[in-house]
Amino acid sequence: AQSVTQPDIHITVSEGASLELRCNYSYGATPYLFWYVQSPGQGLQLLLKYFSGDTLVQGIKGFEAEFKRSQSSFNLRKPSVHWSDAAEYFCAVVPFSGGYQKVTFGTGTKLQVIP
Amino acid sequence: DAGVTQSPTHLIKTRGQQVTLRCSPKSGHDTVSWYQQALGQGPQFIFQYYEEEERQRGNFPDRFSGHQFPNYSSELNVNALLLGDSALYLCASSSERGASTDTQYFGPGTRLTVL
């Protein structure tokens, strides 16, 4: 069955430190891949997406993600975390069906940033 | 340009009651998707509407139904509410017929509490 896994439920980093959030997927073919962020009381905001081409994708707010086919992973990174990055982050996939969107989300990783 | 709007913001119902949630898509969008996000979980796809018809559906019972109006706004109806229906309900809109490569824009959600 197709699935997306975020192994880390909660991560704490110091402000200014680097960040990597993990995402693994299990699909028959490479799906479309997304990272969303959700701040408390807010809806989801798209950080970046990968469809094809360059495996290193740049997003908003200084985030990037690298697609690794061999590992079925799409990890999110940021070189220097700011206190405002504290939020919950969701990896999401859409099957490469050429059809319509049916987004499957991971269970999320909650990021805490300490001074 | 207004983004995706949802109403109401919060709602409290009792078991067995019925509820209607509303969503107005981002200007220029013609496709609306609904998601349920239980506490501590990622959003789960309920269904998607395009051209006033349900086009895709996730693993939700028939108690969950929807409607899309000619102006592309949408309603989510839940009948015979259960305690387990308590969640944040998110609406997302997209254009280009909701193709897999299109970006979905999310509203802030409606928090439903069932007592």
Side-chain angles (χ1 to χ4, degrees), chain A residues 32 34 36 38 41-44 46 49 51 90 94-95 97-103 105-107, chain B residues 35 37 41-43 45 48 55-57 88 90 94 97-104 106-108:
Chain A
Y32 298 124
F34 305 79
Y36 285 88
Q38 186 176 37
Q42 304 291 317
L44 294 161
L46 179 69
K49 56 188 178 183
F51 295 150
F90 293 93
V94 173
S97 63
Y100 310 118
Q101 295 166 323
K102 187 174 181 180
V103 186
F105 286 86
T107 52
Chain B
Y35 295 83
Q37 186 178 16
Q41 300 295 317
F45 177 79
Q48 183 182 81
R55 184 165 63 181
Q56 284 203 102
R57 189 178 183 91
L88 180 68
L90 296 166
S94 55
R97 302 185 187 180
S100 296
T101 56
D102 188 42
T103 297
Q104 289 192 335
F106 284 81

Side-chain angles (χ1 to χ4, degrees), chain A residues 33-50:
Chain A
L33 299 158
F34 305 79
W35 274 100
Y36 285 88
V37 61
Q38 186 176 37
S39 299
Q42 304 291 317
L44 294 161
Q45 181 182 23
L46 179 69
L47 288 175
L48 46 80
K49 56 188 178 183
Y50 174 78

Side-chain angles (χ1 to χ4, degrees), chain B residues 1-112:
Chain B
D1 175 27
V4 180
T5 60
Q6 293 185 244
S7 64
T9 306
H10 296 86
L11 204 52
I12 299 176
K13 292 286 188 178
T14 57
R15 280 177 298 175
Q17 285 189 310
Q18 181 264 345
V19 68
T20 297
L21 311 182
R22 296 176 176 82
C23 171
S24 291
K26 183 178 169 62
S27 177
H29 285 183
D30 56 12
T31 304
V32 173
S33 301
W34 286 92
Y35 295 83
Q36 181 195 66
Q37 186 178 16
L39 199 61
Q41 300 295 317
Q44 286 197 303
F45 177 79
I46 302 175
F47 43 52
Q48 183 182 81
Y49 276 84
Y50 172 69
E51 290 189 339
E52 302 179 48
E53 291 191 357
E54 182 182 298
R55 184 165 63 181
Q56 284 203 102
R57 189 178 183 91
N59 296 324
F60 280 81
D62 292 343
R63 298 187 297 109
F64 290 77
S65 63
H67 188 77
Q68 185 179 35
F69 299 93
N71 67 353
Y72 307 122
S73 67
S74 177
E75 289 182 348
L76 163 67
N77 301 293
V78 187
N79 295 321
L81 285 167
L82 304 174
L83 295 179
D85 295 331
S86 295
L88 180 68
Y89 288 84
L90 296 166
C91 170
S93 73
S94 55
S95 62
E96 300 176 355
R97 302 185 187 180
S100 296
T101 56
D102 188 42
T103 297
Q104 289 192 335
Y105 291 81
F106 284 81
T110 294
R111 173 72 63 187
L112 172 64

